[in-house]
Amino acid sequence: MSQAVGQQIDADFFAKFPTSAKMYQQACTLFPSGVTHDGRYMKPFPIYVDHALGAHKYDVDGNDIIDYWSGHGSLILGHSHPAMVKAVQEQVAKGTHFGACHELELEWGELVRQLVPSCEMLRFTSSGTEATMMALRVARIATGKTKVIKFAGHFHGWHDLLAQAAEPPHDDKTYAMPGVTDGVSEELVILRPNDLELVERAIAEHDPACLIIEATGSRWGVVPLAEGFLQGLRKLTEEKGVLMIMDEVISGFRVAPGGMQEVRGIVPDLTSLAKIVAGGLPGGCLAGRADLMQAIAFDNPFGQKMKHPGTYNANPLSAAAGIAVLKQIADGEPCRQASESAAKLRAGMNEVLTRKNVDWVVYGQFSIIKVFPGYDGPRPTDDSFVPYENDFDRLDRKHDAQLGHAFRCALLLNGVDWFGWGAMTTAAHSDEEIDFTVKAFERAIDAMRNDGYIE
């Protein structure tokens, strides 16, 4: 690319978001790279949001922006849903942290148990990372084994036990992770997804305590799970005596009230949940078989207890928010609405790309949208389309970082905030927001072409 590439988009970005630019300067003196989450890092700077409602958020410069981050996936009803706001406002006046058991944790737990097929008992955590970390420790205590099978490209939080191989490139099969010791990594068996024979061989070779899988495929659907793969894994793990952990941190209460396990008709041994379970506030949980969850109990049959403190476990505010939202989504209608909006958006964006002769493609499942630049295959024919026939090596790859920053800037200039190369809709995304987004996407494509990012 020439030095002139990107100049107009950058100039327009500084002009539209001057207060955010100033705030980012301060942020760089406070936080590494100026951000508090890796995903929020962008060039030339991220925007700063003042408030949000429904499918919209409003930045510090007064811009009205349609949001597709959906709270990193934690929102299914949109921002500041009235039922959630009312519940939290009432609870904050009563207390935010009792340092004691409380009635709301019972109601919250019962709702999770009613909705999630695998949930016989559960334990609340403060995040999805904590929930998957707990799942592995419970599995090791229950089985007396140590090895864990995970799939390349699948993300289960940033802790040492599962962070490896979550992102491409996948050509270095050592999957070394900065800051993670070799001893920890050696307990992890990393496999390509969608290959049941490979899983069966790995089980025979390593005799693992458990297998963990992201229920929508790598990083919420970059490489979707093949038809029948989850069911095949459930059958195989049952036959081989390996615990199956489904990571439903993203898919739980999003694809359906009972998550992907409801959609696919299977019951895993353990399920990690977060995001929507806490109604958009911090919170998660591990749910599953009652006998396995006894690993956290005092004087349990395993003869050893998993230690589990956690200052904000089941705190009253998160409980209040979680209860309010889970009641709203229990009939499945918000999940259906979000998925329907996403399907319309995918179709609209692909129509733009075809008409503009741009070598990108859009795909996804349920309320998830994925954008794949530099695509050289056939165009989508229906909403079940996956690029390259779901070939892991061709799909799960790094895209040009400069292009990614330009894409996000171009969309923001046109009133849309996109979650990197992916996005999630909520029940608050109406046809009006979808139509606006398709038009904004077309304008963004034009701007990127004019700036030399797209031929």
Side-chain angles (χ1 to χ4, degrees):
M1 293 181 181
S2 68
Q3 285 189 331
V5 168
Q7 286 190 351
Q8 189 60 53
I9 289 177
D10 271 7
D12 291 346
F13 199 77
F14 273 95
K16 184 164 185 171
F17 304 105
T19 309
S20 285
K22 183 177 180 181
M23 288 183 170
Y24 185 62
Q25 290 178 343
Q26 180 187 0
C28 287
T29 70
L30 291 169
F31 316 122
S33 294
V35 293
T36 54
H37 184 294
D38 283 358
R40 297 172 198 154
Y41 176 73
M42 67 175 289
K43 293 180 179 178
F45 55 86
I47 64 164
Y48 285 73
V49 173
D50 179 75
H51 62 285
L53 182 65
H56 296 251
K57 55 191 183 187
Y58 304 86
D59 74 348
V60 291
D61 286 295
N63 296 300
D64 180 351
I65 300 165
I66 299 179
D67 177 45
Y68 288 96
W69 285 68
S70 300
H72 291 251
S74 65
L75 307 178
I76 191 64
L77 302 177
H79 292 278
S80 303
H81 187 275
M84 185 277 288
V85 171
K86 182 174 184 290
V88 173
Q89 285 176 335
E90 290 178 352
Q91 183 55 47
V92 77
K94 296 178 181 178
T96 63
H97 197 309
F98 302 133
C101 304
H102 55 92
E103 188 174 3
L104 286 180
E105 68 186 15
L106 301 177
E107 185 178 1
W108 194 18
E110 286 290 356
L111 276 168
V112 175
R113 184 159 63 178
Q114 289 168 20
L115 294 174
V116 179
S118 63
C119 183
E120 296 176 359
M121 297 191 82
L122 69 156
R123 185 69 168 245
F124 287 111
T125 65
S126 290
S127 69
T129 287
E130 291 180 25
T132 58
M133 187 164 55
M134 175 186 282
L136 265 56
R137 197 174 296 183
V138 166
R140 285 168 168 154
I141 291 172
T143 64
K145 302 174 183 178
T146 60
K147 295 274 187 173
V148 175
I149 290 177
K150 75 159 286 188
F151 295 96
H154 287 222
F155 179 72
H156 305 290
W158 59 270
H159 57 83
D160 288 11
L161 305 178
L162 289 169
Q164 301 86 326
E167 295 182 352
H170 298 290
D171 48 0
D172 176 9
K173 300 308 180 186
T174 66
Y175 291 118
M177 190 77 180
V180 178
T181 64
D182 291 341
V184 170
S185 296
E186 286 167 3
E187 298 291 347
L188 202 55
V189 180
I190 300 168
L191 306 178
R192 291 165 54 89
N194 296 325
D195 188 338
L196 286 172
E197 291 184 2
L198 180 62
V199 176
E200 186 169 11
R201 292 197 299 272
I203 289 174
E205 179 181 353
H206 297 283
D207 190 23
C210 60
L211 172 153
I212 187 167
I213 186 165
E214 196 178 345
T216 47
S218 56
R219 297 187 312 288
W220 44 286
V222 170
V223 182
L225 297 183
E227 186 69 30
F229 187 64
L230 276 175
Q231 294 91 330
L233 279 182
R234 176 68 287 194
K235 184 174 184 292
L236 181 61
T237 52
E238 284 180 330
E239 290 174 351
K240 302 298 183 180
V242 176
L243 297 180
M244 180 179 178
I245 303 166
M246 278 184 69
D247 185 341
E248 298 239 43
V249 167
I250 291 284
S251 57
F253 315 107
R254 172 168 289 279
V255 303
M260 191 65 85
Q261 56 196 268
E262 175 189 329
V263 174
R264 298 296 181 232
I266 63 173
V267 180
D269 298 297
L270 294 167
T271 301
S272 58
L273 297 161
K275 299 190 185 293
I276 293 171
V277 75
L281 268 65
C285 74
L286 180 67
R289 284 168 37 189
D291 62 319
L292 298 176
M293 296 300 293
Q294 289 302 305
I296 310 170
F298 293 90
D299 302 320
N300 66 56
F302 301 114
Q304 49 184 335
K305 180 197 178 329
M306 178 193 149
K307 185 175 178 61
H308 183 234
T311 300
Y312 292 99
N313 296 344
N315 72 83
L317 286 185
S318 295
I323 291 166
V325 170
L326 293 185
K327 284 181 175 179
Q328 292 288 321
I329 63 99
D331 65 358
E333 184 60 17
C335 306
R336 186 197 65 78
Q337 291 174 349
S339 294
E340 187 177 280
S341 293
K344 291 177 182 176
L345 182 53
R346 289 190 293 263
M349 293 171 71
N350 275 320
E351 188 278 329
V352 168
L353 293 170
T354 299
R355 179 160 43 83
K356 295 283 185 178
N357 194 29
V358 177
D359 63 346
W360 295 16
V361 73
V362 180
Y363 66 105
Q365 298 175 311
F366 303 100
S367 53
I368 293 168
I369 304 109
K370 294 290 184 181
V371 178
F372 190 95
Y375 172 67
D376 58 0
R379 302 304 302 172
T381 55
D382 57 46
D383 198 48
S384 65
F385 168 84
V386 182
Y388 300 127
E389 298 182 340
N390 210 21
D391 184 315
F392 173 76
D393 292 311
R394 301 185 75 180
L395 268 183
D396 200 7
R397 70 187 196 206
K398 277 192 177 296
H399 300 299
D400 180 77
Q402 187 178 0
L403 182 69
H405 291 300
F407 177 50
R408 288 191 59 197
C409 288
L411 279 175
L412 279 164
L413 286 169
N414 286 283
V416 171
D417 196 9
W418 206 255
F419 195 168
W421 291 108
M424 283 180 260
T425 52
T426 70
H429 285 83
S430 68
D431 286 348
E432 182 180 355
E433 277 89 12
I434 298 304
D435 290 343
F436 179 94
T437 302
V438 172
K439 293 172 184 174
F441 177 67
E442 182 168 358
R443 291 192 296 270
I445 290 294
D446 288 342
M448 294 181 71
R449 178 165 272 161
N450 291 336
D451 247 12
Y453 287 104
I454 297 174
E455 294 183 359

